[in-house]
Amino acid sequence: AVEIIVVDAGRDDAVLAAAGPYPSVRVVRSGTPLLPGQARNLGASRARGGTLCFIDADCIAEPGWLAAAMSALGDGARMVGGPVLHGDPWHPIATIDNLMQFSDLAPGRPAGPAELLPSCNLGMSRADFQSLGGYPPVDLAAGEDVLFCRQAAARWKESLRFVPAMRVRHFGRRTL
């Protein structure tokens, strides 16, 4: 069984309404606003499964995303991630934003070792997540995934893997 946890760090009633028709989705609300890493840590602390897969609110997983993550982890990878495609490829600002953030995670990249994997498309075992201490605290709403991946790469250098079938569409910034 798959457990789906949505962390509502902004206490937005629209999140509850969107999750309402899906009884398998559990919404975890924080008492205060959280930065992305803090929200991921909260969700991970409430998860019961042995594998954690993270996706952000501005991303949509393509079919086969979870199966691709689970397969790569089952083959010995410690941390996996895949292509982050443009969710709005005809919008100039969104396209530039996506290229600037995820140019090294293009859909044509071959499977293999990775140095950095963004948290908007990430999977790993719960035990490995806990052994790293979760996402580190940061002062800004960015960069925690880079610090987290660097910790993982220092510990498991050859075990971070890019998985081409683990695709998400990112609907990022549309304004300057």
Side-chain angles (χ1 to χ4, degrees):
V2 174
E3 175 185 28
I4 300 170
I5 298 173
V6 175
V7 176
D8 179 9
R11 298 193 64 83
D12 184 348
D13 289 338
V15 172
L16 290 175
Y22 305 97
S24 63
V25 174
R26 185 161 41 118
V27 176
V28 175
R29 297 184 105 176
S30 65
T32 59
L34 299 175
L35 293 173
Q38 296 169 317
R40 292 181 192 107
N41 287 341
L42 175 59
S45 75
R46 301 290 176 85
R48 292 174 276 222
T51 303
L52 304 173
C53 290
F54 297 96
I55 187 168
D56 286 358
D58 60 358
C59 292
I60 296 174
E62 290 201 343
W65 174 75
L66 185 58
M70 297 300 288
S71 177
L73 291 168
D75 287 342
R78 302 299 282 264
M79 180 183 284
V80 296
V84 180
L85 301 113
H86 307 312
D88 193 1
W90 300 110
H91 192 282
I93 294 172
T95 297
I96 290 167
D97 178 56
N98 211 75
L99 284 169
M100 288 175 56
Q101 291 187 71
F102 307 115
S103 62
D104 59 334
L105 300 168
R109 178 180 169 174
E115 290 183 27
L116 291 175
L117 299 167
S119 295
C120 68
N121 186 6
L122 187 79
M124 67 187 311
S125 76
R126 176 216 286 271
D128 284 349
F129 181 85
Q130 290 173 333
S131 76
L132 292 173
Y135 286 90
V138 293
D139 294 327
L140 301 172
E144 79 288 342
D145 52 354
V146 172
L147 296 173
F148 184 68
C149 273
R150 285 196 175 143
Q151 283 182 290
R155 190 174 295 179
W156 307 300
K157 184 173 176 82
E158 298 300 319
S159 294
L160 277 64
R161 295 274 176 227
F162 180 80
V163 180
M166 198 177 156
R167 297 163 54 111
V168 300
R169 293 212 172 260
H170 177 247
F171 293 84
R173 295 173 192 91
R174 294 177 53 95
T175 64
L176 295 175

